[in-house]
Amino acid sequence: MKHYEVEILDAKTKDKLCFLDKVEPNATIGEIKSMFHKSHPQWYAARQSIRLDPKYAGPLLLYLMFYFRVPFIYAPKYDFTTSKHWVVHLACMCHSFHYLKRLLETLFVHRFSHGTMPLRNIFKNCTYYWGFAAWMAYYINHPLYTPPTIYGEQQVRMALIIFLFCQIGNFSIHIALRNLRPPGSKTRKIPYPTKNPFTWIFLLVSCPNYTYELGSWFGFTLMTQCLPVAFFTAVGFIQMTVWAKGKHRSYLKEFRDYPPLRSPILPFVL
Amino acid sequence: MSAPAMGTTKTAHSDVAAKKKRGPGALATAYLVIYNVVMTAGWLVIAVGLVRAYLVRGSYHGLYFSIEKPLKFFQTGALLEILHCAVGIVPSSVVLTGFQVLSRVFLTWAVTHSVREVQSEDSVLLFVSAWTITEIIRYSFYTFSLLNHLPYLIKWARYTFFLVLYPMGVTGELLTIYAALPYVQKTGLYSVTLPNKYNFSFDYYTFLILTMVSYIPLFPQLYFHMMRQRKKVLAHVEEYKTE
């Protein structure tokens, strides 16, 4: 079987801290953390945040390349030009904001994130994110892009509101989930609404982070009126629904007093 | 890969050794027997149609037109096989079966039917004949397996004929797609250009070229998989022949 070699570097100094050879392709980040823990006992697994930059940095940078019309993408006469449509600038800001937020959350907010994701999946994940980002960005930043025609400016305004609302919502949920579990512990608790109104959706839904994520991309689809974006939203919706149903089922199994009103991802519906 | 859709699945309707599986119930088995008998008959009709047309016309050219309708009907009918896997009455992978059937249906409708100019090409006869012989053997194989009376000849044929039929079919398919290219490019068939209000584009010509390229990695994999299956299945025969 093919084995991977994993080099662990200090995030600030980039010094080589540790070299792990013979890491199996289906090794999880959690297992890598415990392998690292063996040689550096003070860094127990939860204190390690392995930088998974490429997955979210890729879409961030790729989109910008299309936005600035870097050569060899569009016809040479358009190199380094910018779109005349203000919605294209807005879309770039929203897309970039979304992935910047995700990058920062991976670094500072999430606990035990990706601890259970096998290495091989990360390559597949990257392909998915990078591929779709490039596909969407190509059309939105194309010289022949057509801004929303169905309801014009109203549509873009509404879409922006939906997008921002869901970004804040998504962030609120991530914070709420992080606060649910004290650092280093493995306790599992039912998430409940907090003082933050964006978390009140916990009353109706088990995985509101997915609900808000779907909402964000739905907003982005309306904003750009671009079929590839609609595809991306649809595929994400299907995947997140599968995950939400699984999470919902495991909540139900684990907690006898789990609130019966909650649905996995869409209130009352799904 | 379209060519002989010999079931690249590992189990299909397995006759190989005693496999513990839930298997279809009595009603499902009856349905599957009927399905496979009907399909065998259908492809026999196509075979007979081809032979008769050849005898009447005295040439190999343009035989497609004489079997166009049953070909479309029975090849499209194979879509049911995806359902069979999804529902669980057939122990094959939905993805693999789906891929095989859809590639056949693609060639039948999106290439041969859609691009009229290729219908008189000899390459069409090449893949149609390959498909016809393959499907007659494959469906009778399934029929007999379901009835637990699989003649060795059928099993042997299923795991041997592909050696010739598969490359034959692939050649016919590739030549047909290649023949369609200039017409697709000229007419912009199934293509969408910018600008449009959904900000989407699709170039069918490029898509067809990519399809042809995809045969390069896919065909050898499927071919060698069948060869490995052949070794496994026919090796047991020395020990016991089912008659």
Side-chain angles (χ1 to χ4, degrees):
Chain A
M1 191 188 356
K2 227 181 14 172
H3 280 111
Y4 293 139
E5 295 175 336
V6 177
E7 226 177 31
I8 302 190
L9 309 174
D10 182 298
K12 286 211 190 81
T13 67
K14 302 278 185 260
D15 288 337
K16 289 204 196 10
L17 291 177
C18 178
F19 186 83
L20 306 168
D21 60 5
K22 291 211 170 298
V23 177
E24 294 178 11
N26 56 350
T28 65
I29 296 293
E31 284 163 10
I32 291 179
K33 286 186 181 181
S34 56
M35 284 165 86
F36 180 64
H37 178 46
K38 285 201 184 71
S39 55
H40 291 75
Q42 77 276 26
W43 297 105
Y44 59 87
R47 288 187 71 182
Q48 301 170 34
S49 155
I50 300 215
R51 204 77 69 90
L52 289 173
D53 271 348
K55 187 165 75 153
Y56 296 138
L60 180 62
L61 295 170
L62 274 173
Y63 192 102
L64 289 171
M65 284 172 66
F66 285 89
Y67 175 75
F68 288 113
R69 294 191 183 148
V70 150
F72 298 110
I73 300 176
Y74 305 111
K77 70 175 175 185
Y78 296 112
D79 289 349
F80 296 119
T81 58
T82 45
S83 172
K84 57 183 183 211
H85 306 292
W86 67 276
V87 69
V88 173
H89 307 304
L90 185 64
C92 182
M93 288 189 268
C94 289
H95 188 270
S96 306
F97 174 78
H98 176 82
Y99 280 103
L100 259 166
K101 170 180 152 292
R102 283 229 213 175
L103 274 168
L104 294 171
E105 281 174 344
T106 321
L107 291 174
F108 299 115
V109 177
H110 293 310
R111 292 222 176 92
F112 292 111
S113 71
H114 311 300
T116 52
M117 193 184 301
L119 269 180
R120 230 194 261 117
N121 268 12
I122 293 175
F123 296 135
K124 271 201 281 181
N125 259 357
C126 270
T127 312
Y128 171 81
Y129 279 106
W130 291 36
F132 262 117
W135 195 38
M136 292 192 292
Y138 174 78
Y139 287 106
I140 299 170
N141 299 294
H142 200 283
L144 296 177
Y145 170 76
T146 311
T149 52
I150 305 179
Y151 292 104
E153 218 161 280
Q154 233 186 333
Q155 182 177 326
V156 175
R157 246 187 275 273
M158 180 90 277
L160 179 62
I161 294 171
I162 295 173
F163 179 82
L164 287 174
F165 184 89
C166 292
Q167 289 291 289
I168 301 173
N170 181 264
F171 180 71
S172 307
I173 300 300
H174 287 156
I175 294 290
L177 289 173
R178 167 201 163 90
N179 292 338
L180 212 48
R181 177 187 278 161
S185 86
K186 279 200 187 284
T187 51
R188 297 161 63 77
K189 293 196 278 195
I190 304 177
Y192 280 106
T194 67
K195 287 201 205 85
N196 182 344
F198 286 97
T199 64
W200 296 353
I201 192 177
F202 267 121
L203 290 168
L204 298 174
V205 151
S206 289
C207 302
N209 50 322
Y210 294 142
T211 315
Y212 281 124
E213 182 73 17
L214 174 65
S216 297
W217 287 110
F218 176 71
F220 193 68
T221 307
L222 278 182
M223 190 189 297
T224 56
Q225 200 172 297
C226 177
L227 200 56
V229 179
F231 274 131
F232 178 64
T233 308
V235 173
F237 175 46
I238 292 172
Q239 179 64 85
M240 288 191 288
T241 302
V242 170
W243 289 337
K245 285 191 165 213
K247 190 97 192 105
H248 184 77
R249 234 177 289 129
S250 64
Y251 275 143
L252 287 172
K253 248 199 277 186
E254 187 165 349
F255 303 108
R256 309 229 132 239
D257 55 339
Y258 195 73
L261 189 61
R262 294 190 191 183
S263 321
I265 185 173
L266 292 180
F268 307 116
V269 171
L270 201 54
Chain B
M1 198 86 339
S2 318
M6 282 296 215
T8 57
T9 57
K10 295 194 175 72
T11 51
H13 297 260
S14 60
D15 53 305
V16 179
K19 278 193 83 116
K20 239 190 306 176
K21 57 179 167 95
R22 285 162 287 137
L27 184 62
T29 307
Y31 161 75
L32 285 172
V33 169
I34 296 172
Y35 173 79
N36 286 300
V37 165
V38 166
M39 290 307 241
T40 312
W43 286 95
L44 277 166
V45 162
I46 295 171
V48 166
L50 282 170
V51 171
R52 286 181 70 186
Y54 168 70
L55 292 173
V56 163
R57 289 156 172 265
S59 111
Y60 289 111
H61 305 303
L63 297 183
Y64 168 77
F65 301 99
S66 47
I67 44 85
E68 180 178 2
K69 286 211 176 23
L71 174 70
K72 285 176 176 172
F73 181 80
F74 288 101
Q75 185 59 80
T76 312
L79 285 168
L80 282 171
E81 285 162 50
I82 306 176
L83 196 66
H84 298 164
C85 296
V87 164
I89 56 178
V90 167
S92 303
S93 144
V94 174
V95 171
L96 229 46
T97 307
F99 178 75
Q100 278 171 207
V101 174
L102 287 173
S103 65
R104 286 280 193 93
V105 168
F106 173 77
L107 237 119
T108 306
W109 289 100
V111 181
T112 315
H113 165 81
S114 301
V115 186
R116 239 160 273 269
E117 292 85 349
V118 308
Q119 289 169 5
S120 43
E121 293 279 331
D122 290 342
S123 54
V124 174
L125 177 63
L126 201 58
F127 75 74
V128 170
S129 330
W131 290 6
T132 305
I133 304 173
T134 305
E135 298 302 65
I136 293 171
I137 298 172
R138 182 170 75 96
Y139 285 116
S140 37
F141 175 92
Y142 291 155
T143 310
F144 287 117
S145 300
L146 285 163
L147 298 170
N148 285 309
H149 275 283
L150 180 66
Y152 175 69
L153 182 65
I154 306 277
K155 180 157 77 170
W156 179 87
R158 191 215 175 170
Y159 284 99
T160 306
F161 276 42
F162 81 90
L163 290 167
V164 170
L165 294 178
Y166 207 178
M168 189 172 127
V170 164
T171 309
E173 291 168 27
L174 285 173
L175 286 172
T176 307
I177 299 175
Y178 185 72
L181 288 177
Y183 300 103
V184 169
Q185 188 173 47
K186 193 167 57 159
T187 62
L189 181 68
Y190 298 146
S191 302
V192 176
T193 54
L194 290 174
N196 60 73
K197 76 175 170 183
Y198 294 115
N199 293 301
F200 178 69
S201 69
F202 179 71
D203 183 22
Y204 192 46
Y205 175 80
T206 310
F207 180 78
L208 285 176
I209 293 181
L210 290 175
T211 304
M212 289 176 72
V213 169
S214 74
Y215 275 64
I216 299 175
L218 290 172
F219 166 68
Q221 283 189 51
L222 295 169
Y223 194 62
F224 290 127
H225 172 80
M226 280 306 288
M227 288 180 84
R228 270 176 271 130
Q229 289 296 95
R230 176 171 202 267
K231 263 208 198 89
K232 245 198 326 188
V233 170
L234 297 185
H236 284 188
V237 164
E238 272 85 271
E239 294 140 45
Y240 46 85
K241 287 192 177 185
T242 2
E243 262 309 319

